[in-house]
Amino acid sequence: MFVKQPIIRVQHVGKTYTTGNPVEALRDVNLTIKKGELVALIGPSGCGKTTLLKLIGGLLEPSEGTIHIDHLTAVEARVKRKFGFVFQDPTLLPWRSVQANVQLPGEVFKDDSVKNRTKELIDLVGLTGFEKALPHELSGGMQSRVAIARALTFNPDVLLMDEPFGDLDEITRDRMNFELLRVWHETGVTIVIVTHSIPEAVLLADRVVVLSDLPANVKDEVSVPIKRPRSGETSVQKGFLERVEKLRKQLQSDLPPST
């Protein structure tokens, strides 16, 4: 049986913000993510999920501990373009077409090979026929697809996603979840996604990592051994509902008592 190898290793990581009054965001976080795995990060609002994602992506450096992507530090991996990033705001340039927005990273890094992948990426995210469209001509879901295509420009090992569908309506968000699962299946990229939605986390992930309140550490890791491919019917299965309820109780235990 083929065993997936770890690609991300977070070891005893802490992060303290020192601007103004010091804030300890993370304390002694340990996490291993395997190659090709889809892992969701959840936790109380403001608990440090985005901080952990940025540390993994080399956008921030830890105050304590180490993070490695294969044999590289997170910062080295970022420099070598091992990551693709997708944030809540697609941040598309409004004067550039779908095609031109997808090609933007290639222009920034002066890599002409990106032009050869543009059609493939646009096809992958289901936007064939919209290559010349401007962002204002696209729906919110379509803009998110452009952001995903752009993030995959350099064929990254890891796709880091911070509430990528948080601004979408519920119907569009559901559709984009299944689009993400399709892209993940077709590319085999490792995905780490931050979400505030427990059902979304369970629907998408192989494993859901629960962070505690500040200073955050890994409170629990809940596996999701639900058969793939997942569909709209997945959300009514017993295993799905049981894991949603388990995670809900985990998060509720971190909430302050009501008065």
Side-chain angles (χ1 to χ4, degrees):
M1 180 178 177
F2 177 72
V3 178
K4 293 180 179 179
Q5 297 298 312
I7 187 172
I8 300 172
R9 292 182 177 88
V10 179
Q11 297 175 302
H12 304 294
V13 162
K15 178 63 179 178
T16 300
Y17 292 101
T18 56
T19 303
N21 294 325
V23 175
E24 187 180 13
L26 303 175
R27 177 188 294 172
D28 196 27
V29 173
N30 293 279
L31 179 63
T32 299
I33 296 174
K34 295 177 181 178
K35 186 175 180 62
E37 199 173 15
L38 200 166
V39 172
L41 303 180
I42 67 171
S45 181
C47 75
K49 300 182 292 296
T50 296
T51 294
L52 178 56
L53 199 74
K54 289 180 177 180
L55 287 167
I56 291 172
L59 299 176
L60 296 173
E61 294 198 47
S63 304
E64 298 92 25
T66 60
I67 299 175
H68 285 91
I69 314 301
D70 282 337
H71 61 285
L72 302 172
T73 67
V75 172
E76 289 171 340
R78 175 178 57 78
V79 172
K80 290 181 177 292
R81 305 177 208 158
K82 297 291 186 179
F83 302 110
F85 297 92
V86 181
F87 300 103
Q88 185 168 344
D89 184 346
T91 60
L92 305 180
L93 297 181
W95 59 88
R96 294 178 68 107
S97 67
V98 166
Q99 178 176 304
N101 268 290
V102 173
Q103 290 177 346
L104 181 61
E107 295 176 17
V108 172
F109 291 101
K110 296 179 171 56
D111 187 338
D112 291 336
S113 67
V114 169
K115 291 183 179 179
N116 299 327
R117 294 197 68 219
T118 302
K119 183 181 185 305
E120 171 192 341
L121 291 169
I122 291 174
D123 291 348
L124 176 68
V125 298
L127 287 177
T128 303
F130 291 90
E131 292 87 349
K132 302 302 181 183
L134 294 173
H136 76 270
E137 298 173 311
L138 305 176
S139 67
M142 294 169 79
Q143 291 183 27
S144 294
R145 293 178 193 220
V146 178
I148 292 171
R150 185 180 57 195
L152 295 172
T153 296
F154 294 115
N155 195 25
D157 294 329
V158 180
L159 187 60
L160 301 174
M161 311 184 79
D162 190 5
E163 280 286 334
F165 312 134
D167 282 343
L168 303 179
D169 64 83
E170 186 174 355
I171 294 174
T172 304
R173 184 169 184 158
D174 286 346
R175 185 181 301 120
M176 288 306 303
N177 281 331
F178 291 113
E179 283 296 308
L180 177 60
L181 287 174
R182 180 182 60 77
V183 168
W184 172 65
H185 175 74
E186 293 186 18
T187 62
V189 67
T190 304
I191 296 179
V192 184
I193 182 169
V194 168
T195 178
H196 287 93
S197 169
I198 296 173
E200 180 174 74
V202 176
L203 175 68
L204 294 174
D206 295 312
R207 185 160 45 105
V208 181
V209 175
V210 184
L211 298 184
S212 68
D213 208 348
L214 292 178
N217 56 28
V218 176
K219 182 177 181 179
D220 198 6
E221 297 183 36
V222 177
S223 64
V224 186
I226 298 174
K227 184 179 178 181
R228 296 187 186 274
R230 295 174 186 170
S231 67
E233 296 180 358
T234 299
S235 61
V236 297
Q237 293 179 8
K238 181 180 179 182
F240 178 91
L241 297 173
E242 287 176 345
R243 280 160 180 78
V244 168
E245 183 60 22
K246 178 177 181 177
L247 290 164
R248 201 180 305 279
K249 288 179 178 178
Q250 288 272 28
L251 292 185
Q252 287 175 343
S253 67
D254 265 336
L255 295 176
S258 57
T259 57

